[in-house]
Amino acid sequence: MSLASQVSAVVSMNVKSIGQRFWPSVSTALAVALVVVVLLSFLAMANGFQKTMRGAGRDDIAIVLRAGSQAELNSGLTRDQVRLIGEGPGVVRDANGDAVISSELYLIVDGVKRDTGTKANLPLRGIGAAGAGLRDGLKIVEGRMFASGANELLVGRALQREFRGFDVGSTVRFGKTQWTVVGAFETGGTVFESEFWADLPVVQSLFNRGAAVQTVRAKMTSPEAVAQLKAYSDNDPRLKLDVVSENAYFADQASGTTNLIAKLGWPLAIAMAFGAIAGALNTMYSSVASRTREIATLRAIGYGGFPAFVGTLVESLVLAAIGGVIGAAAAFLFFDGLSAATLGASFTQVVFQFALTPALMLNGLILGMVIGLIGGLLPAMRAARIPIVAGLAER
Amino acid sequence: MSDFKLVWKNLMRRKLRTFLMLFAILIAFMIFGVLAALEQAFDSNASSSGDRLMIVNKINFTQPLPISYVQRVRALEGVKQVAHMNWFGGYYQEPRNQITTFAVDPGSYIDVYQSEFEVPDAGRRVFLSEKTSVIVGKTAADKWGWKVGDHIPLNSNIFSQKNGARVWDVTVAAIVTPKKETADANFIALRYDYFDETRSFGKDQIGWMALTTTSAAYNDRLVKQIDEMFANSPYETSTDTEKAFSKAFVAQLGNIALMVGLVVGAAFITILMIVGNTMAMAVRERTREIGVLKTLGFPGPRILKMVLGESLLLAVLGGVTGMLIAAAATTALRGAVGNFVGGLAITPVIMVMGAVMMLLLGLITGLMPAMSAMRLPIVQALGRS
């Protein structure tokens, strides 16, 4: 009998006997499934958050902040600085020769979260005339754009989903000021959908900000032109500014939270995996123990130790694979597309959706198989070493 | 031979199996300990606030209030002391070295927060008299090796000085220690007068106020009265207890309690299945022995107790070790997450919860096998191979 056919015979005996140890086998598979679910829930959360932030940024838009301010909220620019940026190299000009830039104000207002009923920080962005045109894939899905000079708000779809009282047509009070929600917009699920937009001069006057602006977004002729604008700003002592591409800005904003989530997820999943390995080892040792006589018999009729080794290992891997697939499927069912909101680096709520990709699910399956591999290895070695005579004597 | 010795012998009969179960239990309790401490730290930022009230701008707490409001609130009946604070956005050397920094009025700040922090007398006098002095929380001082008298160049990611400088030169007046282990001490308080006269914009504005009352009985009335007083002004206020305010802030991070609950739940279901199964297996193997014990005159309930004792011992041994590791891990993590959640610690509440879960785990995993062992008829037990 060839080694291959010995191996396949023993493997099929092993796999078919799983049913005899039904509960231990179920518990092993479920333990693996739970580990996979925990890992994938964290990875899906980190990935969803990152997608929301990163999707918002464009390579050919420069965002200009006061040096060292780190976030739009902390920044502040003078009128002179805004003018100088408009005159900078690489900035796109429209038919009239005006720079395509949007001066913006980024304020925080309160909104009430639907699920907890507690107040949370929401960003109100006053945008210049060019502002809407600088956002990719902007679609007004309900109502209309705010009118210039009016107390009118445009609301992001994601914000509407998580916070109450911002339907199109409703009146909103921020302190003493009253606003009407005139439209809702989508930007393909990016962070902008967690914002209110309004006309910059209106926001400036109703929030007592004079002519102050916090950031400037400038449309650049090419992604490379961002570096030119940066060099121009660095060489002018009047401009103590940070000039970065919008893409780089949002990547940086995403990194802190994404790292935190991922750094929490992996250690937790690995710790749980150790527990699951202990469970798998127990199950597989008992599997080997219950088949001692069977293995010894096979050895007596000429089977080698190797088929016994492979048989046990495959049994463990099969259990782990079943668990892994169940875990990945459950994670996909429960978590993919789940809407959540957390405090982002700008100190405001970022609404995002958990996003589980095939690559992430593969991570989960691999972790599951590693549990099966380690949990099966030692018992498989014991199976290979069962002495024939003593094994046959075993009851 | 005592019952305990019998239980112990049973447990040690298959050392590897016992060790693996202990290990799985240890992991679950370690996860429980660390996550419960994390959740508690988030919560304790909320609960450490005594009976203080907070007054913030009604639009949002990041919007400013005029400093003139402080005197008007101080004049109200039942108000003991009002502190005002302004977020400074402080960092040291690099923007990523963030330190929670407030600009405060020194006298009222110490009055209002003295229940939270131990401020040495000498340092208090310096902070009260010297304009450029600051008080520094112990965590921040330890992290950067600052001592009393040191000059610190303090950066702000929001403010700049009128002269264009981006750095405030401050001197350490005192290093203060929180009275509660779970309080956050990565902070600096600098003086509002120094900050206000040097900053380039926002003069005479403050971030928010915190006040103490002469009696908690005044609180409800004051909450209403303050907001009514400033209604229809350009700066309307929102007043609430500091507890409610902190709770809402923690809620902004997302549903932490739910996430923690899910993970701990998953970990415990896992070990429940693993240990439950293994215990059942272990008792089944011993069927004949149990028959022998019964023949020798051991009554059923005693056998029940012995099997339960075994699963309880397993749960307690693994659980206690896991909690000890969690305690060590939280101490180690404390520095790393200080910026976020204040002090991490395994508090007595967590220990009690852990103990209850060990008991439950031991009882649940042992009950089924113990019952079947107790009910087993002798003849059948001896007959079974």
Side-chain angles (χ1 to χ4, degrees), chain B residues 49-376:
Chain B
S49 39
D51 279 332
R52 285 184 295 271
L53 300 179
M54 287 273 282
I55 309 171
V56 300
N57 188 307
K58 193 177 176 185
I59 299 170
N60 179 262
F61 64 85
T62 56
Q63 302 285 341
L65 291 172
I67 184 136
S68 61
Y69 278 20
V70 178
Q71 285 310 327
R72 293 179 63 187
V73 173
R74 250 178 218 153
L76 295 174
E77 191 197 346
V79 173
K80 193 162 148 202
Q81 180 58 282
V82 184
H84 61 85
M85 271 156 277
N86 202 101
W87 180 258
F88 180 77
Y91 66 90
Y92 178 60
Q93 291 173 336
E94 291 286 324
R96 63 192 160 87
N97 302 333
Q98 289 199 19
I99 302 168
T100 308
T101 309
F102 307 113
V104 305
D105 165 56
S108 60
Y109 176 74
I110 291 176
D111 278 354
V112 169
Y113 286 97
Q114 60 188 354
S115 57
E116 307 290 322
F117 293 99
E118 204 81 61
V119 187
D121 277 341
R124 176 195 302 246
R125 281 194 296 277
V126 175
F127 189 45
L128 288 176
S129 60
E130 281 175 30
K131 207 175 227 178
T132 61
S133 64
V134 296
I135 53 177
V136 178
K138 195 172 179 309
T139 310
D142 288 351
K143 189 167 177 188
W144 303 109
W146 294 331
K147 291 178 299 294
V148 171
D150 282 2
H151 284 268
I152 309 171
L154 189 62
N155 279 282
S156 166
N157 60 19
I158 305 172
F159 297 101
S160 56
Q161 295 199 39
K162 279 178 192 154
N163 62 14
R166 313 197 40 84
V167 176
W168 272 261
D169 185 45
V170 295
T171 316
V172 179
I175 290 163
V176 302
T177 335
K179 289 185 180 169
K180 275 190 196 133
E181 193 188 10
T182 52
D184 179 21
N186 179 36
F187 78 94
I188 293 180
L190 79 156
R191 287 175 53 134
Y192 180 78
D193 49 1
Y194 176 44
F195 165 69
D196 200 43
E197 70 190 38
T198 48
R199 63 171 159 174
S200 61
F201 64 91
K203 186 159 172 48
D204 290 336
Q205 287 183 340
I206 56 170
W208 66 93
M209 292 177 261
L211 65 96
T212 47
T213 53
T214 49
S215 146
Y218 284 107
N219 287 12
D220 286 344
R221 212 198 61 214
L222 278 170
V223 164
K224 271 206 200 111
Q225 202 181 352
I226 292 168
D227 289 346
E228 278 165 12
M229 180 161 75
F230 300 119
N232 294 316
S233 77
Y235 297 93
E236 297 194 329
T237 58
S238 167
T239 307
D240 210 337
T241 61
E242 199 169 288
K243 274 196 184 87
F245 183 84
S246 312
K247 216 170 150 188
F249 183 72
V250 169
Q252 290 218 39
L253 294 168
N255 206 332
I256 294 158
L258 185 72
M259 284 307 287
V260 169
L262 279 179
V263 175
V264 172
F268 273 88
I269 292 172
T270 310
I271 53 159
L272 214 61
M273 289 186 318
I274 294 172
V275 179
N277 250 312
T278 316
M279 275 305 293
M281 216 185 291
V283 173
R284 212 176 308 124
E285 274 174 20
R286 268 183 249 148
T287 306
R288 259 163 77 93
E289 264 177 55
I290 291 168
V292 171
L293 285 176
K294 285 192 169 177
T295 316
L296 291 174
F298 277 60
R302 190 166 165 197
I303 288 170
L304 174 96
K305 263 190 258 169
M306 278 168 53
V307 177
L308 272 184
E310 191 179 332
S311 64
L312 277 171
L313 187 62
L314 197 65
V316 169
L317 280 179
V320 169
T321 328
M323 295 293 280
L324 286 177
I325 294 176
T330 49
T331 313
L333 274 172
R334 205 175 289 169
V337 296
N339 268 343
F340 263 104
V341 284
L344 275 179
I346 302 283
T347 58
V349 179
I350 299 176
M351 286 183 218
V352 171
M353 277 164 65
V356 170
M357 290 206 293
M358 286 173 217
L359 283 181
L360 284 178
L361 178 70
L363 288 175
I364 295 172
T365 53
L367 202 58
M368 291 281 285
M371 294 292 276
S372 60
M374 181 178 81
R375 291 197 187 125
L376 196 65

